[in-house]
Amino acid sequence: MDLTDYVDALRSSLTTAAAAGTEQTQETARLLAEALEPAVRLTVTEALSAMAAEVTAAWDGGLVDIRVRGRDPEVVVVHAPDPGHDPEPAPGPPRDEPEADDDGAVARISLRLPEALKSRAETAAAAAGLSLNAWLVRAVADGLREPTDPPRSARGPRRYSGFARS
């Protein structure tokens, strides 16, 4: 969803309101309109995310999510599969696949990664055919799984040497 028209409309409204003022007021409004663009984009995206969460909560048929690619959000709809039907993947970006023990609730977090680590994670996600979010969900879930093998000692197998008297 391209937010440019909405940001431009807000910028135009602000400069139109300032047109009745002095030249300094008009310049201040212009500078303020330019400085507000990132905040407006973030606020609109947050409002869309809140709306998507409300739609998802009211809809038993899947998930509505907002993803940001570049500067603009995009709406992603994931339908719940029909019982006994193996759906074909929808065209477009990779879908998030919930873990088997997922109750359907989604929590949002803000994760800060070093740029080099983020790039490596994006590459791994693309190689797996997943979105970065789905790849990170799987990585966290894998990290929290109970180990199936007994933990190995860092020193290797235990060996005893020496002699015994009987």
Side-chain angles (χ1 to χ4, degrees):
M1 171 178 204
D2 186 2
L3 297 179
T4 303
D5 291 341
Y6 302 98
V7 172
D8 288 346
L10 182 60
R11 181 182 296 125
S12 176
S13 295
L14 185 58
T15 54
T16 299
T22 65
E23 190 174 312
Q24 183 178 6
T25 302
Q26 294 171 15
E27 179 62 15
T28 301
R30 187 190 65 75
L31 292 172
L32 183 59
E34 293 297 321
L36 281 176
E37 181 176 353
V40 169
R41 287 181 179 278
L42 179 61
T43 301
V44 170
T45 301
E46 287 175 351
L48 289 171
S49 293
M51 181 192 63
E54 287 182 24
V55 170
T56 296
W59 179 36
D60 292 333
L63 171 74
V64 177
D65 200 11
I66 303 296
R67 296 185 189 157
V68 178
R69 296 197 186 273
R71 297 177 357 151
D72 294 316
E74 81 180 25
V75 178
V76 177
V77 178
V78 179
H79 295 279
D82 293 333
H85 179 262
D86 189 18
E88 295 181 24
R95 296 182 346 185
D96 291 343
E97 298 174 12
E99 292 296 313
D101 61 347
D102 187 10
D103 65 359
V106 176
R108 293 185 182 273
I109 65 168
S110 179
L111 176 64
R112 289 175 177 79
L113 295 174
E115 188 62 41
L117 183 59
K118 178 180 177 274
S119 295
R120 289 176 56 204
E122 288 172 332
T123 301
L130 297 170
S131 68
L132 179 58
N133 185 71
W135 188 86
L136 288 169
V137 167
R138 283 190 179 179
V140 170
D142 288 348
L144 296 174
R145 280 203 180 92
E146 294 292 324
T148 55
D149 295 332
R152 297 178 182 228
S153 170
R155 298 176 299 194
R158 291 189 177 171
R159 294 185 180 154
Y160 298 98
S161 61
F163 63 93
R165 264 189 211 171
S166 57

